Amino acid sequence: MAPLDLAFWHLESPTHPLHLGALAHFGPVPAAPGHEPPVDVLELLARRAAAVPRLRMRVRDVLLPVGGAAWSADPDFDVRHHVREITLPGADFPAETTRLAAELMERPVERGLPPWEMYLLTGAPDGSFAVLVKLHHALADGMRAVAIGAGIFDEIAAGRRPASRPRPVPPRSWLPGPGRLLDLARDRLGDLGRAVEVGASVVSASVVRAGRLDGPAAPLAAESSGTRRLATATLPLDRVHRIRRTTGGTANDVLLAVAAGALRRWFEGRGLPLPGADPQALVPVSRRRPGAAPGPGPGNSLSGYLVDLPVTEPDPAARLAAVRHAMDRNKAAGPFKGAGAVALLADRLPPLAHRFGAPFASGAARLLFDLLVTQVPLPRSALSLGGAPLRALFPMAPLARGQSLAVAMSPYGGSVHIGLVADGEAVPDLDALAAAFTAELDLLDPSDAP
């Protein structure tokens, strides 16, 4: 198990589960032709999940390295322990799925089994349904989670190649040759140098943040109640791109500016004073190439950028300009520099440090950032399950200790689907924040505003 995966494994606690999630909404399954039986979505979902090799792996402790762990095939794997069906009242099916998904996201996945769960949510009068997916963060980062979870879709499953038998590998000496020893030494020195560089950035940022921890208002910082609330929003992707073409930058810059404006509107709607300092967001950056296969490597390959969300700026255009400038500066420095690259530091610590340092590191997120804002890419082609078209997919990110809000966004099918996860007691009005995303997009692109 790679060090960063191990870090996520040990950072989890009963009140701070560290799994990623996605709530996917599907249309009705089309009628079966002729006399064929209708598609059994639960059976289909279970069969396809069981065919994904990564979902058959569980975590086990190892003797070496000391404190380490490894992924191994579960000899007693039973997909029925992971895939379940829940029927909901159909009067307001979308709202009921959101409410139930929040409750299910509160619960950590079972550790003795492969760390994932899927729920088929049924009961809509028109035959539509939803699927909730939970994957432990040790198993996957956002891009890898998409690659793993995509195996349930018709289009991906149809193109999946049958597993081939591994080719025999010629035996090698247990003692590396001189050239390999030199390469290993160079790699370790390179890791040490990067760890020192990132560590210095983290310490520097922590010192700066220590003087402004009373800046962001209380709703973004709270002790965990162990409860979760989920809200969703949907933005037209063509409007996001129209703003991007007009102002420059990227679609992600526009979405970050919308998030900043939504937070400002939310603070004002609560009757709270604006924070004395702009809240700082961690924007994860995948170190995988887009479109690359997940491969057999570690579950997580992450860095990150830290961005001040300009909540205190009253002008929407100025907010977007500030976000674009901050992201340009981060990209110029690269994902290996700056305090946002703290994941790289975790990836270079020995396993024993993660095992025994987790209780101390669990609260460190508060020293670096106030909330997580991430974008999870999805395949651009239309997707379906059992012939039922995918209508929307709302990603869900885990909450760090001491924080009460995480924002995840996924473009699909001409829309940006936004999943907001919050502490249930600290943010009881999460729906108001979700509505503010649409209002803020209207400020940046008033041409289509109602």
Side-chain angles (χ1 to χ4, degrees):
M1 186 182 248
L4 184 54
D5 301 349
L6 192 64
F8 284 125
W9 189 248
H10 288 306
L11 283 171
E12 184 175 66
S13 70
T15 57
H16 285 89
L18 278 180
H19 47 252
L20 310 171
L23 180 61
H25 287 272
F26 295 88
V29 175
H35 299 287
E36 293 183 18
V39 173
D40 184 333
V41 178
L42 182 65
E43 191 277 333
L44 180 65
L45 185 64
R47 186 173 71 248
R48 288 184 177 169
V52 178
R54 188 71 174 171
L55 295 182
R56 304 175 70 93
M57 308 292 283
R58 64 182 177 90
V59 177
R60 61 177 178 84
D61 291 334
V62 296
L63 294 176
L64 292 175
V66 177
W71 292 105
S72 63
D74 184 356
D76 302 316
F77 177 78
D78 186 345
V79 73
R80 292 173 296 180
H81 292 154
H82 302 267
V83 180
R84 305 176 181 92
E85 181 176 3
I86 300 176
T87 301
L88 297 168
D92 191 358
F93 185 73
E96 286 297 319
T97 59
T98 301
R99 178 197 58 78
L100 180 60
E103 292 182 5
L104 295 172
M105 289 295 287
E106 294 174 4
R107 311 172 189 173
V109 295
E110 189 172 342
R111 289 196 157 223
L113 302 173
W116 64 275
E117 299 169 0
M118 290 186 189
Y119 295 87
L120 173 63
L121 309 179
T122 58
D126 65 351
S128 61
F129 61 93
V131 174
L132 173 68
V133 180
K134 292 168 56 177
L135 298 174
H136 197 286
H137 212 328
L139 184 69
D141 57 31
M143 284 189 68
R144 189 180 180 94
V146 170
I148 292 173
I152 70 171
F153 294 116
D154 299 336
E155 295 74 13
I156 309 299
R160 184 188 294 144
R161 297 178 179 177
S164 58
R165 300 180 65 178
R167 296 179 180 179
V169 178
R172 295 188 301 173
S173 169
W174 64 271
L175 181 64
R180 179 58 180 155
L181 284 173
L182 182 59
D183 289 341
L184 288 171
R186 287 173 177 166
D187 290 345
R188 296 290 78 77
L189 287 174
D191 283 351
L192 179 60
R194 283 189 290 270
V196 170
E197 183 179 9
V198 175
S201 298
V202 171
V203 171
S204 175
S206 299
V207 171
V208 172
R209 286 269 297 168
R212 51 171 276 187
L213 279 181
D214 59 345
L220 297 180
E223 291 301 319
S224 176
S225 65
T227 62
R228 292 292 181 269
R229 195 173 293 270
L230 171 65
T232 62
T234 301
L235 305 180
L237 185 57
D238 61 340
R239 296 181 66 190
V240 174
H241 283 300
R242 185 161 62 209
I243 298 168
R244 173 190 59 80
R245 288 192 298 268
T246 302
T247 61
T250 67
N252 196 47
D253 295 343
V254 175
L255 292 172
L256 287 170
V258 168
L263 285 170
R264 178 185 175 90
R265 183 179 294 263
W266 181 56
F267 275 108
E268 291 175 340
R270 277 188 159 208
L272 295 173
L274 293 175
D278 287 326
Q280 198 161 57
L282 174 65
V283 180
V285 178
S286 176
R287 292 184 286 136
R288 304 181 195 277
R289 290 182 298 174
N300 288 271
S301 183
L302 288 172
S303 182
Y305 297 143
L306 292 180
V307 180
D308 286 341
L309 295 180
V311 170
T312 57
E313 171 55 59
D315 180 56
R319 284 197 291 268
L320 177 53
V323 167
R324 188 170 64 245
H325 175 72
M327 288 299 289
D328 287 346
R329 186 173 61 247
N330 275 321
K331 292 171 187 174
F336 291 89
K337 293 186 178 180
V342 64
L344 299 179
L345 180 61
D347 214 12
R348 288 169 172 82
L349 295 176
L352 203 59
H354 291 301
R355 185 176 291 269
F356 291 105
F360 304 100
S362 60
R366 182 76 178 94
L367 298 176
L368 292 175
F369 60 96
D370 300 295
L371 74 160
L372 177 75
V373 182
T374 184
Q375 185 174 157
V376 182
L378 294 177
R380 295 183 180 180
S381 58
L383 300 171
S384 61
L385 175 60
L390 175 64
R391 291 175 171 172
L393 190 148
F394 298 99
M396 290 172 278
L399 292 181
R401 184 181 297 275
Q403 298 177 0
S404 56
L405 177 66
V407 181
M409 302 175 279
S410 283
Y412 174 77
S415 299
V416 180
H417 304 289
I418 301 173
L420 306 176
V421 176
D423 182 275
E425 291 188 6
V427 190
D429 57 342
L430 191 61
D431 288 337
L433 177 57
F437 275 79
T438 299
E440 284 305 311
L441 184 68
D442 291 341
L443 285 180
L444 285 171
D445 179 39
S447 59
D448 284 351

